Amino acid sequence: MSSDVRVFRDTYVDSVVQMSATRAMQSLDGVEWAAAAMATPANLETLSGEGFDAANLGTANDLFLAVRGKNDDAVRSALSAGESAMFSSRPGTGTAVSHQPRTIGRIAKEHPDTNVAIVSVPGEYAALEAHEALSAGLDVLLFSDNVSLADEVSLKQRAARLGRLVMGPGAGTAMLGGIGLGFANVVTPGRVGVVAAAGTGAQEAMSLLDRFGVGVSCVIGLGGRDLSEQVGGIMAKSAIAALRADEGTDAIFLVSKPPEPRVADDVLDAAGDMPLVASLVGLKSDIDVPSNIKLARTLEGGALRVLDLVGAARPDIVGDLHASVGQATERLAKERSLVRGLFSGGTLCYEALVLLTDVLGPIYSNVPLDPSLKVPAPPGSHICLDLGEEEYTVGRPHPMIDPQARVEMLRETYRDPSVGVILLDVVLGYGSHPNPAGELAAACKEAVESGIVVVAYVLGTERDPQNLQRQRQILRDAGCIVTETAARAALASAAGAARDLDVVAISL
């Protein structure tokens, strides 16, 4: 076994580029572990935990590539691949030293037609960069996480005063002017605007509308805390106001977990007389709303109500769901009864928790609906995990970018003789792995051959780089039940475990 670290002093690339470099290194034969990251204390601790000598390696201003492989040649090849992935798009020689850093303000002056800044620096520095972007007259996509609540409120209050948007922190998806930012799908242009306090929630919303024949004007991400009591929906209200003023938008699709009642009232009031559908995932009771506003408790339910608003035909839900439920109940071995959800998308995991709970009762999770149901779970429990959370990504890329950690967990899961159903999501689009279904297929086939029912949902569109139908077929060929939506995948899994066909009556 061999290992090495390459350090680039006073060099920064954003986290998306870091993840791309990590994936480029990990994809090579002979590589056991690899990472591209800034030399922050947390990342150096991770590096030490992997057996590297991180003492005096660098500071938070420095970038490193680290590889552990079967021999020196594999390590050298991986380091070269990582460096190329990070710097090949930069002018000059294609290396770190050819790049001269510039501030956001300077770039804005050099390019006066610029109107959006993407901020993806470590969280403790992100607010400063976002404020500079606002001062330069730019809207901000704040990809960074670990930004304090106080900084978020300050940024959004200032942005609202300036008539600007701060999308985030932790906003991984947006589409403005037809251009996808972060993790985004390729959709048909249209007249429905999406506002989402959820990354994969935004992707599911835009992809469902596209597949149901409705075009999308733009997607505005908010960050997961925007509709909390503390933030008060500041950017949700600004985003809705911007879409009301947009001549290319006729209706709004809002996606979020259920906000506090006061926040919900304020945000929905911002729609005025604009037609708006709010998918408040897991909503437990109706809220009194004006006639131009429709509510839903799932992402699919919201998309269906958008179809109603714009006069488009609904797809056949019941027939499709009956078919998936029938397959799941027929295939499940009698001695197996538990559901395991292994998700890469946080919103899809949350929606699955809501629907599984409706049928099966309490579901344990690392992101549970009830804090008392946090894993570890007692024997005999149903479990649904969001593998994109930090406890599963320390020292590894997000599972949407690199599915390998989920493959390992899938294999570990199907060896449990009590598990009967494994529920998976596969997220396509820019930023995601080029062939995620292909990476999961072998383990899925092994699981099916061992007596497991694998239910999978592919989030994406036909024009995504990975191609929706091709990814679906790979999973079907591996023996998976592939559903049309994430909600139907959760219901089919629940029905299989409960051996109950009546789940088709559950409201979406």
Side-chain angles (χ1 to χ4, degrees):
M1 195 64 64
S2 176
S3 64
D4 197 8
V5 179
R6 189 172 295 175
V7 180
F8 302 89
R9 302 294 180 190
D10 296 318
T11 300
Y12 176 79
V13 298
D14 70 34
S15 57
V16 174
V17 178
Q18 293 172 33
M19 289 186 286
S20 297
T22 298
R23 185 168 64 196
M25 294 187 291
Q26 290 182 332
S27 66
L28 298 183
D29 290 339
V31 174
E32 180 182 292
W33 185 90
M38 301 304 294
T40 62
N43 288 336
L44 293 181
E45 183 178 349
T46 298
L47 200 60
S48 296
E50 291 293 333
F52 291 82
D53 181 7
N56 302 316
L57 183 64
T59 72
N61 291 325
D62 302 326
L63 176 70
F64 70 81
L65 301 176
V67 179
R68 183 173 63 244
K70 66 180 182 180
N71 54 46
D72 290 345
D73 287 342
V75 169
R76 280 194 295 268
S77 295
L79 289 172
S80 296
E83 184 171 350
S84 177
M86 284 195 301
F87 303 123
S88 60
S89 65
R90 289 184 169 183
T93 63
T95 64
V97 295
S98 68
H99 177 67
Q100 296 300 316
R102 294 176 294 169
T103 65
I104 289 176
R106 178 179 169 186
I107 294 172
K109 289 180 180 179
E110 293 174 354
H111 301 278
D113 56 340
T114 300
N115 54 17
V116 179
I118 300 176
V119 176
S120 184
V121 299
E124 58 266 40
Y125 311 113
L128 179 62
E129 296 300 321
H131 275 297
E132 183 179 357
L134 291 175
S135 297
L138 305 175
D139 295 320
V140 180
L141 178 68
L142 186 49
F143 193 85
S144 306
D145 55 12
N146 296 314
V147 176
S148 74
L149 185 61
D151 281 337
E152 178 174 353
V153 171
S154 174
L155 277 167
K156 290 184 171 180
Q157 287 176 339
R158 183 178 177 217
R161 291 194 300 269
L162 294 171
R164 295 294 176 188
L165 295 174
V166 170
M167 297 168 279
T173 298
M175 187 185 77
L176 305 174
I179 304 298
L181 304 175
F183 296 95
N185 301 89
V186 183
V187 297
T188 303
R191 303 188 68 83
V192 177
V194 176
V195 177
T200 47
Q203 289 188 262
E204 175 74 332
M206 66 194 298
S207 295
L208 287 181
L209 292 178
D210 179 84
R211 299 206 307 268
F212 291 165
V214 175
V216 178
S217 60
C218 63
V219 178
I220 300 175
L222 305 173
R225 296 185 303 208
D226 190 77
L227 278 84
S228 67
E229 184 72 26
Q230 299 93 327
V231 182
I234 298 171
M235 275 302 107
K237 290 180 283 188
S238 292
I240 290 171
L243 292 176
R244 287 184 64 192
D246 177 26
E247 294 182 355
T249 299
D250 295 332
I252 298 172
F253 187 8
L254 172 67
V255 174
S256 173
K257 295 178 183 177
E260 293 294 326
R262 179 193 65 80
V263 178
D265 288 344
D266 287 349
V267 169
L268 296 178
D269 283 347
D273 58 359
M274 183 85 157
L276 181 146
V277 173
S279 275
L280 305 179
V281 180
L283 182 69
K284 293 182 180 179
S285 60
D286 289 337
I287 303 171
D288 290 332
V289 294
S291 59
N292 62 301
I293 294 177
K294 307 299 179 185
L295 301 178
R297 64 191 296 267
T298 65
L299 297 164
E300 177 176 3
L304 294 174
R305 285 161 179 80
V306 172
L307 297 184
D308 297 339
L309 276 183
V310 300
R314 286 192 175 203
D316 175 15
I317 305 169
V318 175
D320 175 67
L321 186 52
H322 261 301
S324 299
V325 166
Q327 291 180 66
T329 54
E330 289 170 8
R331 294 186 191 182
L332 187 61
K334 291 182 179 180
E335 67 276 10
R336 294 178 176 272
S337 61
L338 300 182
V339 174
R340 293 289 183 271
L342 304 177
F343 282 87
S344 61
T347 311
L348 303 188
C349 180
Y350 186 84
E351 182 182 58
L353 285 168
V354 169
L355 293 171
L356 290 170
T357 299
D358 285 347
V359 181
L360 301 175
I363 311 293
Y364 282 79
S365 178
N366 61 323
V367 287
L369 302 180
D370 182 331
S372 68
L373 298 175
K374 194 170 181 67
V375 291
S381 301
H382 302 291
I383 300 172
C384 213
L385 300 175
D386 175 5
L387 301 180
E389 285 291 296
E390 290 183 5
E391 61 265 36
Y392 293 107
T393 58
V394 174
R396 307 193 75 148
H398 191 282
M400 285 167 53
I401 295 171
D402 180 8
Q404 187 55 43
R406 192 156 57 143
V407 169
E408 295 167 6
M409 188 168 288
L410 200 164
R411 289 193 165 112
E412 179 183 336
T413 299
Y414 76 65
R415 295 188 182 107
D416 182 341
S418 66
V419 173
V421 182
I422 294 177
L423 173 59
L424 301 170
D425 65 336
V426 176
V427 181
L428 311 183
Y430 293 119
S432 292
H433 190 279
N435 184 21
E439 294 292 303
L440 292 165
C444 287
K445 184 176 182 180
E446 294 164 14
V448 171
E449 291 173 347
S450 71
I452 298 281
V453 175
V454 180
V455 181
Y457 167 62
V458 183
L459 188 168
T461 72
E462 296 299 333
R463 292 186 292 162
D464 280 333
Q466 303 89 346
N467 185 266
L468 176 65
Q469 291 304 327
R470 183 165 59 246
Q471 293 292 298
R472 284 176 168 175
Q473 192 58 50
I474 290 171
L475 294 172
R476 290 192 185 105
D477 291 343
C480 301
I481 298 170
V482 180
T483 64
E484 288 296 318
T485 71
R488 295 182 217 179
L491 290 174
S493 299
R499 294 175 171 83
D500 180 4
L501 292 172
D502 289 338
V503 300
V504 294
I506 290 178
S507 172
L508 295 174

